[in-house]
Amino acid sequence: LAKTTQPISMDSYEGQEVNITCSHNNIATNDYITWYQQFPSQGPRFIIQGYKTKVTNEVASLFIPADRKSSTLSLPRVSLSDTAVYYCLVGDMNTNAGKSTFGDGTTLTVKP
Amino acid sequence: DVKVTQSSRYLVKRTGEKVFLECVQDMDHENMFWYRQDPGLGLRLIYFSYDVKMKEKGDIPEGYSVSREKKERFSLILESASTNQTSMYLCASSTPHRRSYEQYFGPGTRLTVT
């Protein structure tokens, strides 16, 4: 499974757009990129997944450049409740049956 | 609504005890996982099961075993608990019938071994 690198922490203010970048230089052809969110004392929760270009859902957008060696999770207009740890995962969903290696994640702190 | 439940939220055990952590999912998922989470180390995969009676080692299987006798239940066993197994344990499930293999997590069990 490809190793990922994310910033350890980020700070933001309410109402701002937050972009968290993840590096995955050894991503394989069949690998997908998945992001999870985790609040204290809870299990992680799936946010978004993509393979290339851009994916958007009601919560976030995921931008993946053509070389796929990095990806950026974009959270529009964050609120205090978006304070959480965000994990980027890379893996082949077909051969690894969804087995994922979670890195250390990025702790996002949203301030008033 | 999707649900993964774990038998205990908090557990305190003594060194050398045999510990069972139970996980049940009601989504008929094929895949089930056990992770441990420690400060500064993120989530680390202990064991993974893709079918009843099937299991695969994850990144840190030493000191643990698992059992999956029924599709909905995945148990993590600490044969002889040690203090370095004090941690938050998280169970998850997923299905290959959803392309994303999205994992659904339980609330976690905080285990303290004294």
mmCIF file of all heavy atoms in Angstrom, chain A residues 49-75:
data_model
loop_
_atom_site.group_PDB
_atom_site.id
_atom_site.type_symbol
_atom_site.label_atom_id
_atom_site.label_comp_id
_atom_site.label_asym_id
_atom_site.label_seq_id
_atom_site.Cartn_x
_atom_site.Cartn_y
_atom_site.Cartn_z
ATOM 1 N N GLN A 49 -13.808 10.029 -1.940
ATOM 2 C CA GLN A 49 -12.844 9.162 -2.620
ATOM 3 C C GLN A 49 -12.761 9.556 -4.094
ATOM 4 O O GLN A 49 -13.771 9.957 -4.680
ATOM 5 C CB GLN A 49 -13.250 7.699 -2.512
ATOM 6 C CG GLN A 49 -12.233 6.713 -3.075
ATOM 7 C CD GLN A 49 -12.736 5.282 -2.983
ATOM 8 O OE1 GLN A 49 -13.553 4.840 -3.782
ATOM 9 N NE2 GLN A 49 -12.245 4.568 -1.998
ATOM 10 N N GLY A 50 -11.557 9.421 -4.654
ATOM 11 C CA GLY A 50 -11.401 9.723 -6.067
ATOM 12 C C GLY A 50 -10.252 8.965 -6.686
ATOM 13 O O GLY A 50 -9.410 8.394 -5.986
ATOM 14 N N TYR A 51 -10.241 8.974 -8.018
ATOM 15 C CA TYR A 51 -9.147 8.327 -8.751
ATOM 16 C C TYR A 51 -8.330 9.365 -9.526
ATOM 17 O O TYR A 51 -7.100 9.311 -9.526
ATOM 18 C CB TYR A 51 -9.696 7.286 -9.720
ATOM 19 C CG TYR A 51 -8.625 6.546 -10.468
ATOM 20 C CD1 TYR A 51 -7.942 5.498 -9.865
ATOM 21 C CD2 TYR A 51 -8.278 6.912 -11.771
ATOM 22 C CE1 TYR A 51 -6.931 4.828 -10.553
ATOM 23 C CE2 TYR A 51 -7.276 6.248 -12.445
ATOM 24 C CZ TYR A 51 -6.610 5.201 -11.832
ATOM 25 O OH TYR A 51 -5.606 4.542 -12.497
ATOM 26 N N LYS A 52 -9.007 10.298 -10.168
ATOM 27 C CA LYS A 52 -8.297 11.343 -10.900
ATOM 28 C C LYS A 52 -9.176 12.571 -11.012
ATOM 29 O O LYS A 52 -10.371 12.532 -10.693
ATOM 30 C CB LYS A 52 -7.881 10.863 -12.280
ATOM 31 C CG LYS A 52 -9.031 10.465 -13.185
ATOM 32 C CD LYS A 52 -8.527 9.990 -14.521
ATOM 33 C CE LYS A 52 -9.687 9.560 -15.416
ATOM 34 N NZ LYS A 52 -9.212 9.077 -16.730
ATOM 35 N N THR A 53 -8.597 13.653 -11.420
ATOM 36 C CA THR A 53 -9.220 14.972 -11.624
ATOM 37 C C THR A 53 -9.921 15.458 -10.367
ATOM 38 O O THR A 53 -9.288 15.625 -9.343
ATOM 39 C CB THR A 53 -10.165 14.969 -12.840
ATOM 40 O OG1 THR A 53 -11.239 14.060 -12.613
ATOM 41 C CG2 THR A 53 -9.415 14.554 -14.094
ATOM 42 N N LYS A 54 -11.219 15.706 -10.443
ATOM 43 C CA LYS A 54 -11.916 16.329 -9.321
ATOM 44 C C LYS A 54 -13.172 15.555 -8.974
ATOM 45 O O LYS A 54 -13.907 15.093 -9.846
ATOM 46 C CB LYS A 54 -12.273 17.776 -9.685
ATOM 47 C CG LYS A 54 -13.080 18.504 -8.623
ATOM 48 C CD LYS A 54 -13.464 19.900 -9.084
ATOM 49 C CE LYS A 54 -14.382 20.578 -8.083
ATOM 50 N NZ LYS A 54 -14.803 21.924 -8.538
ATOM 51 N N VAL A 55 -13.384 15.417 -7.674
ATOM 52 C CA VAL A 55 -14.606 14.800 -7.168
ATOM 53 C C VAL A 55 -15.205 15.761 -6.146
ATOM 54 O O VAL A 55 -14.466 16.344 -5.344
ATOM 55 C CB VAL A 55 -14.317 13.445 -6.486
ATOM 56 C CG1 VAL A 55 -15.598 12.834 -5.947
ATOM 57 C CG2 VAL A 55 -13.629 12.492 -7.452
ATOM 58 N N THR A 56 -16.505 15.920 -6.183
ATOM 59 C CA THR A 56 -17.175 16.813 -5.230
ATOM 60 C C THR A 56 -18.396 16.122 -4.668
ATOM 61 O O THR A 56 -19.130 15.451 -5.394
ATOM 62 C CB THR A 56 -17.583 18.125 -5.922
ATOM 63 O OG1 THR A 56 -16.404 18.796 -6.356
ATOM 64 C CG2 THR A 56 -18.320 19.038 -4.950
ATOM 65 N N ASN A 57 -18.602 16.265 -3.358
ATOM 66 C CA ASN A 57 -19.853 15.831 -2.749
ATOM 67 C C ASN A 57 -20.359 16.938 -1.838
ATOM 68 O O ASN A 57 -19.844 18.068 -1.875
ATOM 69 C CB ASN A 57 -19.690 14.484 -2.030
ATOM 70 C CG ASN A 57 -18.700 14.535 -0.888
ATOM 71 O OD1 ASN A 57 -18.390 15.595 -0.354
ATOM 72 N ND2 ASN A 57 -18.182 13.378 -0.523
ATOM 73 N N GLU A 58 -21.334 16.642 -1.019
ATOM 74 C CA GLU A 58 -21.960 17.683 -0.204
ATOM 75 C C GLU A 58 -21.049 18.175 0.917
ATOM 76 O O GLU A 58 -21.327 19.185 1.540
ATOM 77 C CB GLU A 58 -23.281 17.170 0.378
ATOM 78 C CG GLU A 58 -23.140 16.010 1.343
ATOM 79 C CD GLU A 58 -23.013 14.659 0.645
ATOM 80 O OE1 GLU A 58 -22.926 14.621 -0.603
ATOM 81 O OE2 GLU A 58 -23.016 13.647 1.371
ATOM 82 N N VAL A 59 -19.989 17.456 1.173
ATOM 83 C CA VAL A 59 -19.110 17.794 2.290
ATOM 84 C C VAL A 59 -17.813 18.453 1.833
ATOM 85 O O VAL A 59 -17.315 19.385 2.467
ATOM 86 C CB VAL A 59 -18.774 16.524 3.101
ATOM 87 C CG1 VAL A 59 -17.784 16.832 4.205
ATOM 88 C CG2 VAL A 59 -20.033 15.899 3.667
ATOM 89 N N ALA A 60 -17.219 17.941 0.749
ATOM 90 C CA ALA A 60 -15.871 18.369 0.371
ATOM 91 C C ALA A 60 -15.637 18.167 -1.116
ATOM 92 O O ALA A 60 -16.458 17.577 -1.821
ATOM 93 C CB ALA A 60 -14.842 17.559 1.171
ATOM 94 N N SER A 61 -14.476 18.665 -1.546
ATOM 95 C CA SER A 61 -13.991 18.390 -2.900
ATOM 96 C C SER A 61 -12.612 17.765 -2.808
ATOM 97 O O SER A 61 -11.863 18.029 -1.855
ATOM 98 C CB SER A 61 -13.908 19.681 -3.715
ATOM 99 O OG SER A 61 -15.184 20.222 -3.933
ATOM 100 N N LEU A 62 -12.314 16.955 -3.783
ATOM 101 C CA LEU A 62 -11.015 16.294 -3.833
ATOM 102 C C LEU A 62 -10.401 16.583 -5.192
ATOM 103 O O LEU A 62 -11.014 16.290 -6.226
ATOM 104 C CB LEU A 62 -11.185 14.785 -3.631
ATOM 105 C CG LEU A 62 -9.932 13.921 -3.697
ATOM 106 C CD1 LEU A 62 -8.910 14.342 -2.637
ATOM 107 C CD2 LEU A 62 -10.296 12.444 -3.496
ATOM 108 N N PHE A 63 -9.209 17.174 -5.157
ATOM 109 C CA PHE A 63 -8.511 17.529 -6.392
ATOM 110 C C PHE A 63 -7.295 16.614 -6.552
ATOM 111 O O PHE A 63 -6.472 16.497 -5.636
ATOM 112 C CB PHE A 63 -8.049 18.981 -6.350
ATOM 113 C CG PHE A 63 -9.185 19.958 -6.255
ATOM 114 C CD1 PHE A 63 -9.639 20.396 -5.016
ATOM 115 C CD2 PHE A 63 -9.809 20.428 -7.391
ATOM 116 C CE1 PHE A 63 -10.699 21.287 -4.919
ATOM 117 C CE2 PHE A 63 -10.864 21.325 -7.316
ATOM 118 C CZ PHE A 63 -11.305 21.752 -6.077
ATOM 119 N N ILE A 64 -7.191 15.997 -7.714
ATOM 120 C CA ILE A 64 -6.096 15.074 -7.991
ATOM 121 C C ILE A 64 -5.448 15.483 -9.306
ATOM 122 O O ILE A 64 -6.104 15.448 -10.355
ATOM 123 C CB ILE A 64 -6.616 13.623 -8.082
ATOM 124 C CG1 ILE A 64 -7.383 13.261 -6.799
ATOM 125 C CG2 ILE A 64 -5.460 12.640 -8.291
ATOM 126 C CD1 ILE A 64 -8.202 11.988 -6.914
ATOM 127 N N PRO A 65 -4.162 15.874 -9.282
ATOM 128 C CA PRO A 65 -3.511 16.280 -10.526
ATOM 129 C C PRO A 65 -3.260 15.085 -11.437
ATOM 130 O O PRO A 65 -3.420 13.943 -11.028
ATOM 131 C CB PRO A 65 -2.181 16.880 -10.035
ATOM 132 C CG PRO A 65 -1.922 16.202 -8.729
ATOM 133 C CD PRO A 65 -3.272 15.961 -8.125
ATOM 134 N N ALA A 66 -2.854 15.379 -12.645
ATOM 135 C CA ALA A 66 -2.703 14.330 -13.655
ATOM 136 C C ALA A 66 -1.698 13.242 -13.241
ATOM 137 O O ALA A 66 -1.912 12.065 -13.524
ATOM 138 C CB ALA A 66 -2.277 14.949 -14.986
ATOM 139 N N ASP A 67 -0.625 13.625 -12.551
ATOM 140 C CA ASP A 67 0.363 12.617 -12.174
ATOM 141 C C ASP A 67 -0.054 11.803 -10.954
ATOM 142 O O ASP A 67 0.595 10.806 -10.618
ATOM 143 C CB ASP A 67 1.750 13.234 -11.971
ATOM 144 C CG ASP A 67 1.802 14.175 -10.766
ATOM 145 O OD1 ASP A 67 0.794 14.265 -10.027
ATOM 146 O OD2 ASP A 67 2.843 14.814 -10.562
ATOM 147 N N ARG A 68 -1.097 12.226 -10.275
ATOM 148 C CA ARG A 68 -1.690 11.536 -9.116
ATOM 149 C C ARG A 68 -0.722 11.356 -7.965
ATOM 150 O O ARG A 68 -0.964 10.552 -7.063
ATOM 151 C CB ARG A 68 -2.266 10.185 -9.547
ATOM 152 C CG ARG A 68 -3.280 10.286 -10.633
ATOM 153 C CD ARG A 68 -4.223 9.127 -10.806
ATOM 154 N NE ARG A 68 -3.686 7.835 -10.505
ATOM 155 C CZ ARG A 68 -4.173 7.016 -9.577
ATOM 156 N NH1 ARG A 68 -5.216 7.392 -8.854
ATOM 157 N NH2 ARG A 68 -3.627 5.825 -9.376
ATOM 158 N N LYS A 69 0.363 12.065 -7.933
ATOM 159 C CA LYS A 69 1.330 11.899 -6.836
ATOM 160 C C LYS A 69 0.962 12.708 -5.604
ATOM 161 O O LYS A 69 1.648 12.656 -4.574
ATOM 162 C CB LYS A 69 2.731 12.262 -7.319
ATOM 163 C CG LYS A 69 3.271 11.296 -8.373
ATOM 164 C CD LYS A 69 4.684 11.631 -8.760
ATOM 165 C CE LYS A 69 5.196 10.710 -9.867
ATOM 166 N NZ LYS A 69 5.209 9.292 -9.450
ATOM 167 N N SER A 70 -0.099 13.456 -5.694
ATOM 168 C CA SER A 70 -0.601 14.178 -4.528
ATOM 169 C C SER A 70 -2.104 14.347 -4.698
ATOM 170 O O SER A 70 -2.650 14.088 -5.786
ATOM 171 C CB SER A 70 0.072 15.538 -4.396
ATOM 172 O OG SER A 70 -0.315 16.379 -5.471
ATOM 173 N N SER A 71 -2.750 14.768 -3.638
ATOM 174 C CA SER A 71 -4.170 15.083 -3.724
ATOM 175 C C SER A 71 -4.464 16.162 -2.685
ATOM 176 O O SER A 71 -3.727 16.301 -1.693
ATOM 177 C CB SER A 71 -5.044 13.849 -3.489
ATOM 178 O OG SER A 71 -4.778 13.268 -2.217
ATOM 179 N N THR A 72 -5.527 16.914 -2.916
ATOM 180 C CA THR A 72 -5.893 17.997 -2.003
ATOM 181 C C THR A 72 -7.351 17.880 -1.625
ATOM 182 O O THR A 72 -8.226 17.853 -2.496
ATOM 183 C CB THR A 72 -5.632 19.373 -2.638
ATOM 184 O OG1 THR A 72 -4.239 19.487 -2.936
ATOM 185 C CG2 THR A 72 -6.035 20.486 -1.688
ATOM 186 N N LEU A 73 -7.577 17.784 -0.329
ATOM 187 C CA LEU A 73 -8.936 17.809 0.199
ATOM 188 C C LEU A 73 -9.300 19.258 0.452
ATOM 189 O O LEU A 73 -8.571 19.975 1.147
ATOM 190 C CB LEU A 73 -9.017 17.016 1.506
ATOM 191 C CG LEU A 73 -10.359 17.065 2.240
ATOM 192 C CD1 LEU A 73 -11.398 16.237 1.496
ATOM 193 C CD2 LEU A 73 -10.210 16.579 3.678
ATOM 194 N N SER A 74 -10.414 19.692 -0.084
ATOM 195 C CA SER A 74 -10.853 21.075 0.094
ATOM 196 C C SER A 74 -12.160 21.113 0.870
ATOM 197 O O SER A 74 -13.146 20.475 0.478
ATOM 198 C CB SER A 74 -11.027 21.750 -1.272
ATOM 199 O OG SER A 74 -11.422 23.087 -1.121
ATOM 200 N N LEU A 75 -12.143 21.842 1.980
ATOM 201 C CA LEU A 75 -13.341 22.003 2.809
ATOM 202 C C LEU A 75 -13.806 23.450 2.679
ATOM 203 O O LEU A 75 -13.104 24.371 3.103
ATOM 204 C CB LEU A 75 -13.025 21.681 4.269
ATOM 205 C CG LEU A 75 -12.431 20.304 4.542
ATOM 206 C CD1 LEU A 75 -11.975 20.203 5.995
ATOM 207 C CD2 LEU A 75 -13.437 19.219 4.225
#
